[in-house]
Amino acid sequence: MTRGIANLGSYQEEGLSREGLYSMAERELFTQALARVKNRFLFTNILAQRISQLRKGAEPLVDIENADHEAIALTEIIDGKLKWEVGEPSAPEGGKKRAKGGKTKAAKGK
């Protein structure tokens, strides 16, 4: 059975806990990558953007056989293959400050 986003609710029907959906290796990758970025909100954005790039055909920066896009993106973060920039806060027209979006770039040649 596939446990993609669309099927996430079915884990309860199978008697699984949410933690049972992921292997120990996947949780370890996630933990290591989060420790490298240090900000969970930035980490979520970097991870989502890189997974999207991979799904659209971007070349992986790490050589892992039979890995899904999520594992590839996590490994790229852990190995320091991705670089990201965080924009400076800017004031919108109303005068209140808000954060600018950051950008994720795949490091070339590493």
Side-chain angles (χ1 to χ4, degrees):
M1 173 182 221
T2 305
R3 289 194 179 103
I5 293 173
N7 296 325
L8 211 60
S10 67
Y11 73 91
Q12 291 175 331
E13 296 166 10
E14 295 178 36
L16 297 173
S17 68
R18 193 167 282 222
E19 291 79 28
L21 291 175
Y22 306 102
S23 72
M24 188 69 127
E26 289 169 327
R27 283 192 295 257
E28 184 62 27
L29 276 177
F30 187 87
T31 302
Q32 288 178 13
L34 179 57
R36 181 139 179 121
V37 176
K38 295 182 177 58
N39 179 314
R40 65 187 171 126
F41 302 108
L42 178 60
F43 171 70
T44 302
N45 286 318
I46 292 168
L47 186 60
Q49 187 170 7
R50 184 58 181 154
I51 290 169
S52 176
Q53 291 170 351
L54 290 167
R55 287 185 178 151
K56 291 177 182 176
E59 289 293 319
L61 302 174
V62 293
D63 187 25
I64 304 174
E65 294 198 20
N66 300 325
D68 58 12
H69 295 120
E70 291 80 4
I72 292 169
L74 289 168
T75 304
E76 289 175 345
I77 292 170
I78 293 166
D79 290 351
K81 302 289 185 178
L82 299 180
K83 304 294 179 206
W84 53 88
E85 300 172 6
V86 178
E88 292 295 320
S90 64
E93 295 171 13
K96 295 180 182 177
K97 287 193 173 190
R98 64 179 175 86
K100 274 186 171 179
K103 294 183 179 180
T104 302
K105 297 180 184 176
K108 300 286 183 182
K110 286 192 176 186

